[in-house]
Amino acid sequence: MEEYLKAVIEQIRCKNVRPYVERELRDHLEDQINDNIASGMDKDEAVRAAVKDMGDPIGTGIALDRVHRPSIAWGMIALVFVISIAAALIHFAIASGAEGSVYNQSSKTMIMFGAGFLVMLAIYFVDYTHVARFSKLIALCLIGLCIYARMFGTYINGAQLWVRAFFIDINVEAVMMLYVPVFAGILYKYRNGSATSSKRHSAVFDFIKILFWMIVPVFLVMQMPALVTALMMLISMLTLLTIATSKGWFKVSKPTAIASIWGVFVGLPVIGSVVMFFGNGLADYQKARLVAFFTGSGEANYLTNVLRNVASSCRLYGSNGVDASITIPEYNSAYVLSYISITYGLIAGILIACALAALIAIVFGISLKQKNQLGMLMGCGCGMVLLVTTFINIFQNLGWFPPSRTFLPLMSSGGSYIIVTYILIGIVLSIYKYKSIYPKHISVDYKIL
């Protein structure tokens, strides 16, 4: 039997899948051997009969190799490439007619799109299960980075967002978005409870530890302050926790747990926002923006009114005659969609939004079809980040969301945001690569942690 298994496994080129295929074949052979013995055969005869029934090992191995081979999501890569080219051309046009910081940002952005695309392809070759295996260590590093930024980061507009690593300035707010797929790996580690969670109170304690991994980074990001990113992280991680709970990963009451986490974490942010507003949790300019947005008056509401007027005055195609560089601030970053609609017409803006919607739909399509549950949840985490950030940015450009630091994935300038977006897409590509390789559940234990 061992020689047969060895001959079959040698035909499979993907080394990652070999242990799982061998285990499956071994279980099948042992079941058949036991059946043969039960029918009256001696052990040696039962083994020979079971192996014979399996067929030629070379042919079987070649057939399994065809089934269990890495896959490439060419359609997704092509769409990302097209969006990247469109974004690069848009920023080339912006840089051509700009000067100063806008010129520098858009010029660098064109380079960052190329670098980000290469990073995406590099992530594709990384096994996404490593993220889950080292998820707690990665999470601690991200939390540590957040604390470091809070203590030693550079202030920009009242927020400590940047840290310098050698000669590179890193936007910690952007990097923290990677915490969401890492959190998916942490959830998977707690699947079915820890080794000591046989009792119900231990299972509840495990669930509390999961909440700790969720609450701490959100709280730290809020303290920067980076409220929109904290909101995005909270919504995304709550969604992942809901999915995992609904699948019975944790030994808790599903309805009670899901109702509790949404009740607490939807209610608490509202209460927290009120406390921060009336206390010292928000900067003066942030308070002014919120008051102006909800009252529809004041100088701080000027930008919102401009964005609403822009959205209603854009032509279907071609420029509406308004100079976006004068009318809208950050027209190459947070409000690039408004720039596109003003300069090239409403249809151009809608096409960009539709292309991003199609990309997000592909991400969720790949994730939800995964046989491997870790890949499913981690892919959904990447999709949630892209979905929430895209919708918030579009709503902000339409004047339906208070002015804040947001970005449009694959379109806005900002090196850290661009690289993080491509990393998220690369993780999804890695998940798709192993869709025919990993079984429903795999081991992601790491003894040091």
Side-chain angles (χ1 to χ4, degrees), residues 4-29 54 57 60-69 371 436-439 441-442:
Y4 179 87
L5 290 173
K6 181 180 179 181
V8 172
I9 296 304
E10 286 177 348
Q11 311 309 312
I12 301 176
R13 286 169 289 183
C14 181
K15 295 181 180 180
N16 297 58
V17 77
R18 287 180 176 180
Y20 303 104
V21 173
E22 181 179 2
R23 185 187 309 159
E24 184 178 350
L25 288 175
R26 185 181 297 275
D27 290 342
H28 181 75
L29 279 169
M54 290 293 291
T60 301
I62 293 174
L64 289 171
D65 178 66
R66 284 196 296 265
V67 174
H68 300 287
R69 64 172 54 184
K371 175 175 62 176
S436 300
I437 293 177
Y438 289 131
H441 291 295
I442 59 175

Side-chain angles (χ1 to χ4, degrees), residues 38 57 59 64 92 118 272 360 389 423 443:
L64 289 171
F92 176 79
L118 293 177
I360 294 170
T389 52
I423 289 176
S443 174

